[in-house]
Amino acid sequence: MKKVFIDGKEGTTGLRIFDRLKDRKDIQLILLSEEDRKNPVCRKQAINESDITILCLPDDIARESVSMVENENTIVIDCSTAHRTESSWIYAFPELYEDFEKVAKQNKRFAVPGCHASGIIALIKPLIDNKLLKKDALLAVTSITGYSGGGKKMIADYEKEEKDNLLNFPRQYAISQNHKHLKEIVSICGLDNTPQFMPIVSGFYSGMQVSIPIFKGFLQNNKSIEDIKDIYKSQYNSNVVYYSEENENGFLSSGILSGKDSMSVSVFGNEDRILLVARYDNLGKGASGAAVECLNYILGVDKVTDLEL
């Protein structure tokens, strides 16, 4: 039986992962007391006793945890931003690989994608890889997310009885155009230019919708909207990430997959103005669900074990 330690179990992502794993019979969770969980000595011992450690921590503390690893057999799944563009780490988005089962067996360091980045990369990377989209395309991305993505403080701000009236309205953020996910988006997709990125947080708990407009001039070799659809249908044919043409009577709800661990990838528009859309839960395929999916591959069990689809 594999031993699993969640370093940072008390955060939003960590708690969701713990809730999924606590009743599993194929693993043994290593648990620390409230006092010991902040003690570096106790954390280091737990990390090195584990077969798999899942990090749900701020970047600097995640790096600290990795520096504590002395057991050469310990596998690390990092949910922070710290290692997503490190060449020695596997970017843990299984549906982007031909054989992630093989990748999971041969590696020990896995970086879980960022929530916004998951949708953007799911939409853009297959088009770059298949030479449909120009690497130097100038892209603009709008992403709408539930407030749970902001962590405990933002959740508390949105859920207190007498909250700021401005929280009743969608709020754009990262207006400096320096969002932390941009680095991994550029790196993983192989883009020449950093996209313009407009993330918006709204007053619902969880859910996410990423939208990217593509003009025909960005496509290569006279490719069309139907070629994009064909690539997605081929790339995404599982029950975790899938291609869909569904909408809600001409509308697209950001909450359609709230509480789920799957992702819907879609193409709308026409030959001149194409709209790429990914919908999922920012805490599901965008965080804890993605980490559990990666864990399942490492353990060699059904990839959807403990996932809500």
Side-chain angles (χ1 to χ4, degrees), residues 3 8 12 36 61 73 77 88 95 102 116 131 140 143 153 191 198 211 224 232 241 248 267 276:
K3 294 182 179 180
T12 306
D36 289 345
I61 304 177
N73 295 315
I77 301 173
S88 58
E95 293 77 19
K102 182 178 180 180
H116 294 287
K131 302 187 186 307
S143 185
K153 183 181 184 305
L191 292 170
M198 291 76 72
S211 301
S224 69
Y232 288 162
V241 178
E248 298 82 53
V267 184
L276 313 179

Side-chain angles (χ1 to χ4, degrees), residues 10 31-43:
E10 292 69 24
L31 302 175
L32 297 180
S33 67
E34 182 66 21
E35 181 180 358
D36 289 345
R37 72 180 180 84
K38 295 183 179 180
N39 184 322
V41 174
C42 296
R43 286 174 51 227

Side-chain angles (χ1 to χ4, degrees), residues 184-223:
E184 69 185 275
I185 292 165
V186 171
S187 175
I188 302 302
C189 290
L191 292 170
D192 291 341
N193 300 305
T194 302
Q196 291 279 344
F197 182 40
M198 291 76 72
I200 298 168
V201 61
S202 195
F204 54 90
Y205 182 75
S206 70
M208 182 165 276
Q209 178 169 285
V210 172
S211 301
I212 307 176
I214 299 291
F215 295 98
K216 187 173 183 179
F218 290 165
L219 301 181
Q220 301 191 83
N221 304 318
N222 294 316
K223 296 299 183 180

Side-chain angles (χ1 to χ4, degrees), residues 10 22 50 71 86 100 144 196 208 215 247 287:
E10 292 69 24
K22 63 183 179 181
S50 74
N71 182 347
E86 297 285 340
F100 195 75
I144 304 174
Q196 291 279 344
M208 182 165 276
F215 295 98
N247 61 71

Side-chain angles (χ1 to χ4, degrees), residues 3-223:
K3 294 182 179 180
V4 176
F5 173 55
I6 305 171
D7 196 1
K9 180 177 73 66
E10 292 69 24
T12 306
T13 299
L15 282 171
R16 296 261 302 206
I17 294 173
F18 173 75
D19 286 341
R20 296 164 188 269
L21 302 183
K22 63 183 179 181
D23 295 323
R24 284 182 63 152
K25 306 302 182 184
D26 59 333
I27 62 172
Q28 176 186 339
L29 286 175
I30 298 174
L31 302 175
L32 297 180
S33 67
E34 182 66 21
E35 181 180 358
D36 289 345
R37 72 180 180 84
K38 295 183 179 180
N39 184 322
V41 174
C42 296
R43 286 174 51 227
K44 182 175 181 178
Q45 181 177 349
I47 289 169
N48 287 287
E49 284 182 0
S50 74
D51 295 292
I52 304 162
T53 284
I54 304 174
L55 306 180
C56 304
L57 302 162
D59 289 4
D60 288 343
I61 304 177
R63 294 187 186 97
E64 176 188 73
S65 293
V66 173
S67 73
M68 294 177 177
V69 179
E70 296 176 348
N71 182 347
E72 63 180 15
N73 295 315
T74 296
I75 296 170
V76 180
I77 301 173
D78 184 10
C79 297
S80 81
T81 310
H83 300 100
R84 291 175 186 160
T85 58
E86 297 285 340
S87 60
S88 58
W89 287 67
I90 299 300
Y91 195 72
F93 197 121
E95 293 77 19
L96 297 178
Y97 297 80
E98 288 187 9
D99 188 356
F100 195 75
E101 292 182 9
K102 182 178 180 180
V103 172
K105 292 177 181 178
Q106 295 178 343
N107 292 274
K108 297 185 182 299
R109 299 291 182 268
F110 299 86
V112 176
C115 56
H116 294 287
S118 293
I120 298 170
I121 291 169
L123 294 170
I124 296 301
K125 183 172 170 56
L127 305 187
I128 296 288
D129 290 348
N130 288 279
K131 302 187 186 307
L132 260 76
L133 184 65
K134 297 177 180 179
K135 294 176 67 175
D136 63 355
L138 300 176
L139 301 176
V141 181
T142 301
S143 185
I144 304 174
T145 181
Y147 60 78
S148 57
K152 285 187 173 181
K153 183 181 184 305
M154 184 174 284
I155 292 172
D157 288 342
Y158 270 90
E159 295 187 347
K160 61 186 178 184
E161 288 188 18
E162 296 184 6
K163 64 182 179 181
D164 188 323
N165 182 57
L166 292 178
L167 300 184
N168 292 317
F169 306 92
R171 297 187 298 159
Q172 186 168 331
Y173 64 102
I175 54 179
S176 66
Q177 287 298 306
N178 287 313
H179 194 283
K180 65 180 182 179
H181 289 175
L182 288 171
K183 183 179 179 181
E184 69 185 275
I185 292 165
V186 171
S187 175
I188 302 302
C189 290
L191 292 170
D192 291 341
N193 300 305
T194 302
Q196 291 279 344
F197 182 40
M198 291 76 72
I200 298 168
V201 61
S202 195
F204 54 90
Y205 182 75
S206 70
M208 182 165 276
Q209 178 169 285
V210 172
S211 301
I212 307 176
I214 299 291
F215 295 98
K216 187 173 183 179
F218 290 165
L219 301 181
Q220 301 191 83
N221 304 318
N222 294 316
K223 296 299 183 180

